[in-house]
């Protein structure tokens, strides 16, 4: 249902910086991997990307995944985390944890996280339910300003998909690089994507 009055705030999604596992394409869900030096540097620079898309006023709320890679990214980006939210953890990959897609496809030809199967892990329905709960809580706070959610690649892509009414598998259509920023907004009450995968400015040589 459309309206002429949109809330002041928007939802900003920040993916953690690079880790050794993200650099090499290993699926990283429950495993608590720290940032690489490049990941830390990008996280420090992502405040510039955030400044381009966020409102000038401080965020109404900053929520963060419990994983070290997310909490360190938030700190390096200059964000004061209000609460750690377990619901912002990455997709639980179950038996595929730590494996690359080519490795998984040795036993499951054509496998993707979007199409499954998901032995020992979360299904798209499981992840969508988490995303919907997070988005409902965040949306209720937007009258007070921006809400920043610091988390992970696949889960941020599911949040983006669910925001505009797609199933969790619709996340395949959105890119979310390490230290990337996406912004979920409105147009007259209709959920809209304002920015997708904004990146920090590369360091000068």
């Amino acid at each position: 249902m459309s309206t002429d009055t949109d809330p002041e705030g928007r939802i900003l999604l920040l993916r953690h910086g690079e880790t050794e596992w993200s650099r090499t394409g290993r699926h990283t869900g429950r495993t608590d991997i720290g940032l690489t030096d490049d990941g830390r540097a990008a996280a420090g620079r992502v405040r510039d990307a955030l400044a381009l898309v966020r409102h000038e006023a401080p965020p109404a709320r900053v929520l963060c995944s419990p994983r070290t890679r997310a909490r360190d990214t938030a700190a390096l980006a200059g964000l004061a985390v209000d609460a750690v939210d377990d619901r912002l953890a990455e997709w639980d990959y179950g038996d595929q944890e730590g494996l690359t897609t080519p490795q998984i496809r040795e036993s499951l030809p054509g496998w993707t996280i979007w199409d499954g199967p998901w032995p020992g892990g979360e299904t798209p329905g499981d992840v969508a339910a988490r995303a919907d709960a997070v988005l409902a809580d965040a949306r209720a706070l937007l009258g007070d300003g921006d809400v920043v959610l610091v988390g992970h690649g696949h889960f941020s892509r599911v949040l983006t998909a669910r925001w505009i009414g797609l199933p969790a598998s619709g996340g395949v259509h959105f890119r979310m690089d390490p230290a990337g920023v996406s912004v979920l907004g409105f147009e007259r009450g209709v959920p809209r994507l304002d920015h997708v995968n904004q990146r920090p400015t590369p360091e000068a040589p």
Side-chain angles (χ1 to χ4, degrees):
M1 181 176 180
S2 64
T3 176
D4 288 330
T5 304
D6 291 329
E8 178 65 23
R10 298 174 298 168
I11 299 173
L12 280 63
L13 309 178
L14 170 59
R15 182 185 175 187
H16 65 76
E18 179 195 79
T19 70
E20 186 61 30
W21 280 23
S22 69
R23 186 183 66 79
T24 55
R26 298 173 67 181
H27 287 80
T28 321
R30 302 179 305 272
T31 309
D32 207 3
I33 302 291
L35 301 176
T36 62
D37 289 343
D38 285 345
R40 295 182 65 82
R45 297 194 308 274
V46 80
R47 66 181 66 202
D48 296 332
L50 286 168
L52 290 174
V53 298
R54 56 171 282 189
H55 291 111
E56 290 186 10
R61 192 83 167 156
V62 178
L63 302 175
C64 186
S65 159
R67 303 292 178 253
T68 299
R69 56 193 182 273
R71 290 187 284 111
D72 286 351
T73 295
L76 290 164
L79 295 169
V81 173
D82 295 297
V84 170
D85 191 330
D86 289 342
R87 297 174 302 174
L88 289 174
E90 180 59 294
W91 196 314
D92 185 341
Y93 300 117
D95 296 351
Q96 322 296 12
E97 180 79 5
L99 301 178
T100 66
T101 296
Q103 288 173 329
I104 297 168
R105 287 179 173 178
E106 290 176 7
S107 58
L108 296 171
W111 181 90
T112 75
I113 189 60
W114 311 108
D115 301 315
W118 308 272
E122 289 182 296
T123 67
D126 296 331
V127 182
R130 273 204 289 133
D132 290 349
V134 168
L135 290 172
D137 289 350
R139 190 166 182 165
L141 298 170
L142 295 181
D144 297 324
D146 293 333
V147 173
V148 184
L149 306 177
V150 186
H152 305 271
H154 278 134
F155 190 63
S156 292
R157 294 165 72 182
V158 172
L159 286 168
T160 303
R162 297 301 298 152
W163 182 251
I164 58 172
L166 295 178
S169 58
V172 71
H173 298 292
F174 309 107
R175 182 166 177 149
M176 192 67 164
D177 289 321
V181 177
S182 293
V183 180
L184 313 181
F186 295 95
E187 181 166 344
R188 293 181 172 85
V190 178
R192 178 182 72 184
L193 303 184
D194 289 355
H195 302 277
V196 176
N197 200 38
Q198 299 293 299
R199 300 294 309 286
T201 303
E203 288 182 310

